Amino acid sequence: KSVSDAAQTVVETIEKALKSVSDDLLMEKCKLIAAEKGEDTSDVDIAKDESLRQLKGVMRVGTFARGMLLKGQLNIDLVLMCTAKPTKDLLHEMYEQLPAKFAKNG
């Protein structure tokens, strides 16, 4: 496996883990809102509540975004896009959830 393929695999694993964390955070928020409204929280549909999603996506930046990996390049930059400026609580929640997501997706 080439270095470029390995880097691609690592980035895809990170992207999948962050998507999973984003889905979990959205589900928690939807269940909280449903509970506040007195609705059943077991059948919450997150697809209709995409506007509540806090983590919007991950963007590759730099040379790797163009599909290039320069010789000797050891860093790959990713930008996490959020609905609002991330809080310490959001960052801590992500920090807590990511190791399990890496184990599951990796």
Side-chain angles (χ1 to χ4, degrees), residues 20-85:
S20 183
V21 169
S22 178
D23 290 345
D24 289 352
L25 291 172
L26 178 58
M27 181 61 78
E28 287 175 22
K29 193 164 198 162
C30 289
K31 285 184 177 182
L32 181 67
I33 291 171
E36 288 174 354
K37 291 180 180 178
E39 298 173 355
D40 184 18
T41 60
S42 63
D43 63 344
V44 172
D45 182 17
I46 66 170
K48 66 180 181 183
D49 293 322
E50 282 294 317
S51 62
L52 299 174
R53 188 177 291 275
Q54 293 174 300
L55 306 178
K56 293 293 187 178
V58 179
M59 184 178 288
R60 300 172 185 190
V61 295
T63 56
F64 192 72
R66 295 186 187 100
M68 300 182 330
L69 191 62
L70 302 176
K71 185 176 181 179
Q73 183 179 357
L74 300 176
N75 295 329
I76 296 172
D77 297 320
L78 300 172
V79 175
L80 179 63
M81 295 175 289
C82 301
T83 304
K85 185 177 179 181

Side-chain angles (χ1 to χ4, degrees), residues 85-96:
K85 185 177 179 181
T87 62
K88 286 184 180 180
D89 290 338
L90 176 61
L91 294 174
H92 182 72
E93 185 69 28
M94 290 172 52
Y95 172 78
E96 291 289 321

